[in-house]
């Protein structure tokens, strides 16, 4: 009985192939991130301890456009604050997974959750487009399953950007942004996504 249980506990989701394509994230950008975390979360640190995964789509049609936007470190148009937006991963339409930022570093991708969330971008312009792209969806689920196991993240804390306000981890000290979210990955589409993720995690546990 015990060896079987142990085997089940150790059968984690395998690490998918990941292409390391870092954006510039040196000491200056880290200091900007720590200052942002202080203003918005009351935490003076750029160090990420992941508890949440937020799924996004880029609202653009190419990996390079998204990578360039994140690398540029451009201030936001409202507060003119740095660092610029970024995400830890971008998944291209052919299923290639690119990693841009180390997983112990905060990225600015979801108002209210950057202090605790890994961000995964998908090249595309709608949830449906990604849900119907077999290669992209398979890579997305494999990457997310591996992260869930690696960081002991609960499946209910794998959320879409549009679900950000209902996360128990949501926190925003800048009041005008306390109810700000985006339209990408809404609740009905994330219900489908989480269903597929649970099925994959069950299959990995049975290996
Ligand atoms: Zn988003």
């Amino acid at each position: 009985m015990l060896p079987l249980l142990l085997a089940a506990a150790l059968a984690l989701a395998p690490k998918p192939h990941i292409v390391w394509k870092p954006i510039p994230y040196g000491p200056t950008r880290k200091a900007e991130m720590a200052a942002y975390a202080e203003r918005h979360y009351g935490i003076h640190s750029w160090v990420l301890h992941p508890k949440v995964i937020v799924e996004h789509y880029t609202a653009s049609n190419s990996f390079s456009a998204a990578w360039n936007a994140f690398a540029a470190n451009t201030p936001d148009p409202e507060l003119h604050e740095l660092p610029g937006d970024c995400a830890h991963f971008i998944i291209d339409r052919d299923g290639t997974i690119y990693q841009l930022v180390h997983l112990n570093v905060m990225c600015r991708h979801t108002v209210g959750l950057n202090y605790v969330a890994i961000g995964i971008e998908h090249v595309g312009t709608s949830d449906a487009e990604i849900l119907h792209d077999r290669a992209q969806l398979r890579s997305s689920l494999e990457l997310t399953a591996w992260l869930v196991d690696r960081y002991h993240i609960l499946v209910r804390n794998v959320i879409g950007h549009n679900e950000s306000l209902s996360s128990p981890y949501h926190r925003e000290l800048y009041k005008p942004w306390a109810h700000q979210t985006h339209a990408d990955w809404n609740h009905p589409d994330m219900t489908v996504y989480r269903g597929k993720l649970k099925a994959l995690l069950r299959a990995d546990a049975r290996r």
Side-chain angles (χ1 to χ4, degrees):
M1 192 69 183
L2 186 59
L4 267 176
L5 280 174
L6 268 176
L10 291 172
L12 301 176
K15 183 179 182 180
H17 180 66
I18 296 171
V19 179
W20 177 237
K21 184 99 164 82
I23 56 169
Y25 210 127
T28 303
R29 192 162 178 165
K30 286 190 174 106
E32 291 162 358
M33 190 68 233
Y36 176 99
E38 172 115 65
R39 282 191 295 273
H40 293 271
Y41 310 122
I43 303 165
H44 191 81
S45 174
W46 50 264
V47 177
L48 177 64
H49 301 284
K51 301 278 185 217
V52 174
I53 297 170
V54 182
E55 310 286 350
H56 303 263
Y57 60 74
T58 59
S60 65
N61 288 308
S62 76
F63 163 74
S64 58
W67 190 93
N68 288 336
F70 294 154
N73 201 24
T74 312
D76 69 84
E78 185 182 338
L79 297 183
H80 311 288
E81 243 183 329
L82 286 167
D85 290 340
C86 77
H88 297 87
F89 298 96
I90 301 175
I91 304 177
D92 208 347
R93 287 194 162 119
D94 66 359
T96 306
I97 301 170
Y98 296 95
Q99 183 174 354
L100 285 63
V101 178
H102 287 292
L103 290 169
N104 66 336
V105 178
M106 291 178 195
C107 249
R108 188 174 165 187
H109 56 92
T110 306
V111 164
L113 288 169
N114 295 315
Y115 74 102
V116 79
I118 293 170
I120 302 178
E121 285 280 359
H122 302 75
V123 175
T125 55
S126 73
D127 302 353
E129 189 181 322
I130 294 140
L131 283 172
H132 291 101
D133 183 324
R134 287 183 62 141
Q136 194 178 26
L137 182 63
R138 186 173 60 236
S139 291
S140 178
L141 292 168
E142 286 175 355
L143 173 63
T144 301
W146 174 66
L147 292 168
V148 160
D149 276 348
R150 179 173 174 182
Y151 291 105
H152 309 291
I153 291 170
L154 300 175
V155 169
R156 67 168 175 268
N157 291 323
V158 175
I159 65 170
H161 193 165
N162 192 240
E163 296 180 303
S164 62
L165 298 177
S166 55
S167 168
Y169 289 97
H170 186 272
R171 181 196 295 186
E172 179 54 64
L173 297 176
Y174 178 62
K175 290 300 168 209
W177 286 4
H179 301 286
Q180 198 243 66
T181 188
H182 283 189
D184 49 329
W185 286 104
N186 63 33
H187 184 67
D189 291 330
M190 280 309 296
T191 302
V192 173
Y193 185 99
R194 280 186 290 265
K196 291 176 185 291
L197 179 65
K198 280 183 203 157
L200 177 60
L201 287 164
R202 276 196 299 270
D204 285 330
R206 276 198 303 266
R207 274 182 305 120

